[in-house]
Amino acid sequence: MADVTISFEGGTLRVETELDVPFTESDPRSKTRRAPAFRYATLCDYFDSRDVSVDDSVLDLPELPALLSAYELREYQADALDSWDDANRRGVLELPTGSGKTVIGVKAIQECQTPTLVVVPTIDLLEQWRGILETEFDVPIGQLGGGEQRVEALTVSTYDSAYLRADDIGDRFGLAIFDEVHHLGGEGYREIARLLAAPARMGLTATFERPDDAHEVVSDLVGEKVFDIGVDELAGEFLAPYDVKRLTVELTPGERERYEREQGIFTDYLVQSSIQMQSGSDYLELVKRSGNDPKAREALLAKQRARDIMMNSEGKVTALADILRQHRDDRVIVFTAHNDLVYRLSERFLIPAITHQTAAAERRDVLDRFRRGVFSRVVTSNVLDEGVDVPDANVAVVLSGSGSEREFTQRLGRILRPKDGDGRAILYEVVTTETAEVRVANRRR
């Protein structure tokens, strides 16, 4: 008789034994011990290291024919896969947008030869991954999300659908691949990884670290970052060489007057309330106060109005006109932080617009025409930052955005696919001088 009997039950491991097993807790209801499903690999290693006999029925893996992909890895992609393999097939790979992270994931599936769940944040990525897997492997591809709920040995799921189904299908896969793995740090999404028993886990991202430090949770659930390579290391050979240029613009006298008035309301309140605004917790304190302090609420609203003035200034529109004139023969993506500015620019320059309000069919049509060269320019808010297969472009214009390094890296990555000839890509940052935007722009760099 085995020393331990272990099985999968609703996103947990049911452990029956008289031994004191780490990572498990007593379950009085079933008179057994329990552990989250993601501890499966750790417990297997523990039992192996102590020669504990185990009756293991955790995984219920469907049969798969031999999987063989036609992809050939570039040297850095092979290094990334080797690093993951050396880390017992657990861990996060950080590579720039456009460097072929999906290819590495496909080759990991081939290497593991096991049923695999791929988890992605958007419908666009769901369709992209499904198409690639259908092309590379001659097996049915399951889909969870986008109107379908079908599980196969190879399945692609949105984070939302995986969250709803993980406790039910957590024993069906030997490998889990989390694309844009930084999303897994979210309070709800992290449960997906906890409920899956898959011993092999891979995280893919262009920017692993999160400002809220939730990447530490991802490290526990998927594995530490085991490989990273930067844009500059790939630019020129595997990615397009690039330049970043910062253009500064000034507020008009009217904009400056309104900006200083609104910013003054905000800063005066900070002084009166002794809030330093040195960290995110200081901002949260202001938000809390705004719930019952009218002056705090007015300060927050004034800050938002000042931000809108500096990020949507007329000088930025003029600068964009000059850039578009200079790059009339190039393929240009314009990024902003606000939908209002997207539609304003779309109307003024007759550029197709994509925002969160754009229907999926219309967005696909615009991007397809951009890919075919019917459109040479597109203006968007944050919706194209990640999770969308964006056609090649060689010029990006950041009119406004956050101080997030992730956002900047993702936007830069949209223009870094290799180009013919000299093919240098260029990203313009347009920043309003003598405003808080200068500090925001410096943070993301």
Side-chain angles (χ1 to χ4, degrees):
M1 182 177 178
D3 297 321
V4 176
T5 298
I6 183 171
S7 58
F8 180 87
E9 194 172 272
T12 68
L13 303 176
R14 177 179 172 132
V15 182
E16 300 177 57
T17 182
E18 299 297 324
L19 303 177
D20 184 17
V21 179
F23 306 110
T24 65
E25 296 180 356
S26 175
D27 178 12
R29 182 182 59 81
S30 63
K31 298 180 180 179
T32 63
R33 301 190 69 80
R34 295 275 180 177
F38 82 97
R39 293 294 187 191
Y40 176 57
T42 303
L43 290 179
C44 288
D45 291 342
Y46 174 82
F47 296 142
D48 287 344
S49 68
R50 285 160 176 77
D51 293 324
V52 175
S53 61
V54 182
D55 179 2
D56 182 348
S57 62
V58 169
L59 296 179
D60 181 20
L61 303 181
E63 291 187 7
L64 263 178
L67 301 173
L68 183 63
S69 165
Y71 281 135
E72 294 186 8
L73 295 181
R74 297 167 177 170
E75 182 179 356
Y76 69 88
Q77 293 171 325
D79 290 343
L81 188 58
D82 288 344
S83 296
W84 178 75
D85 209 26
D86 292 342
N88 295 318
R89 295 181 172 176
R90 292 176 67 86
V92 173
L93 309 179
E94 182 179 273
L95 299 95
T97 301
S99 61
K101 294 186 289 293
T102 303
V103 174
I104 301 171
V106 169
K107 295 301 278 189
I109 296 172
Q110 173 187 301
E111 185 167 307
C112 290
Q113 294 290 318
T114 188
T116 301
L117 178 68
V118 179
V119 188
V120 301
T122 66
I123 298 298
D124 292 87
L125 271 179
L126 180 88
E127 295 173 346
Q128 180 183 328
W129 266 96
R130 178 176 173 176
I132 290 171
L133 294 180
E134 287 175 336
T135 300
E136 293 301 306
F137 303 125
D138 188 23
V139 297
I141 306 301
Q143 178 174 321
L144 300 176
E148 291 192 33
Q149 292 291 316
R150 189 181 72 261
V151 178
E152 300 285 354
L154 297 186
T155 295
V156 187
S157 173
T158 61
Y159 277 88
D160 287 335
S161 291
Y163 175 74
L164 296 174
R165 297 290 304 276
D167 60 341
D168 179 44
I169 62 173
D171 59 342
R172 298 284 305 274
F173 305 99
L175 167 63
I177 298 176
F178 299 96
D179 201 359
E180 308 289 2
V181 71
H182 47 273
H183 287 276
L184 198 64
E187 199 65 50
Y189 287 159
R190 63 185 64 173
E191 288 302 310
I192 301 168
R194 287 197 177 105
L195 296 169
L196 295 177
R201 293 165 180 240
M202 173 180 283
L204 301 171
T205 183
T207 46
F208 180 44
E209 293 191 4
R210 291 172 50 122
D212 59 1
D213 293 329
H215 54 276
E216 295 177 4
V217 175
V218 177
S219 295
D220 189 38
L221 296 172
V222 179
E224 300 287 340
K225 182 167 68 174
V226 297
F227 181 87
D228 65 63
I229 192 166
V231 170
D232 291 340
E233 295 172 81
L234 300 180
E237 183 177 3
F238 299 109
L239 296 176
Y242 70 95
D243 298 305
V244 176
K245 294 186 178 181
R246 177 174 294 182
L247 305 180
T248 57
V249 299
E250 296 183 353
L251 296 174
T252 66
E255 289 172 335
R256 172 61 64 183
E257 180 182 353
R258 289 186 288 117
Y259 174 81
E260 296 296 347
R261 181 173 65 249
E262 302 295 353
Q263 189 72 4
I265 294 172
F266 177 69
T267 55
D268 286 350
Y269 180 81
L270 296 184
V271 171
Q272 295 167 10
S273 57
S274 300
I275 297 178
Q276 299 295 319
M277 292 301 285
Q278 295 178 340
S279 68
S281 60
D282 294 323
Y283 183 79
L284 287 176
E285 175 61 27
L286 180 56
V287 172
K288 288 179 185 177
R289 293 190 186 188
S290 68
N292 51 29
D293 182 349
K295 290 186 177 180
R297 175 171 172 74
E298 177 56 27
L300 276 178
L301 293 174
K303 178 63 176 176
Q304 183 59 52
R305 291 191 292 267
R307 186 173 184 270
D308 290 346
I309 293 166
M310 71 182 185
M311 287 194 168
N312 303 325
S313 66
E314 187 58 37
K316 292 194 174 195
V317 179
T318 302
L320 177 61
D322 292 339
I323 293 170
L324 294 178
R325 189 161 44 247
Q326 181 181 346
H327 293 279
R328 58 170 55 90
D329 297 324
D330 292 307
R331 298 166 64 79
V332 184
I333 302 177
V334 182
F335 294 97
T336 80
H338 299 102
N339 288 348
D340 288 347
L341 183 58
V342 170
Y343 295 124
R344 175 180 162 198
L345 297 174
S346 175
E347 183 176 346
R348 177 157 177 174
F349 296 107
L350 302 179
I351 302 174
I354 297 178
T355 71
H356 288 94
Q357 299 167 349
T358 306
E362 181 183 351
R363 182 174 66 199
R364 282 193 294 269
D365 181 60
V366 170
L367 291 177
D368 180 62
R369 295 187 185 203
F370 189 69
R371 183 178 291 107
R372 292 187 287 114
V374 178
F375 299 147
S376 62
R377 301 163 179 180
V378 64
V379 58
T380 182
S381 51
N382 299 329
V383 71
L384 295 188
D385 285 355
E386 69 171 17
V388 180
D389 185 18
V390 178
D392 289 354
N394 63 317
V395 178
V397 185
V398 178
L399 285 187
S400 57
S402 70
S404 165
E405 182 182 349
R406 171 178 293 121
E407 179 185 85
F408 180 81
T409 300
Q410 289 165 335
R411 289 177 169 183
L412 177 61
R414 294 308 185 191
I415 59 172
L416 290 183
R417 288 189 176 92
K419 313 294 188 295
D420 295 331
D422 173 50
R424 291 190 75 84
I426 184 167
L427 182 145
Y428 292 95
E429 282 185 292
V430 185
V431 179
T432 306
T433 59
E434 298 182 53
T435 68
E437 189 179 23
V438 176
R439 186 178 68 254
V440 169
N442 289 337
R443 278 211 318 271
R444 64 179 173 239
R445 295 284 296 280

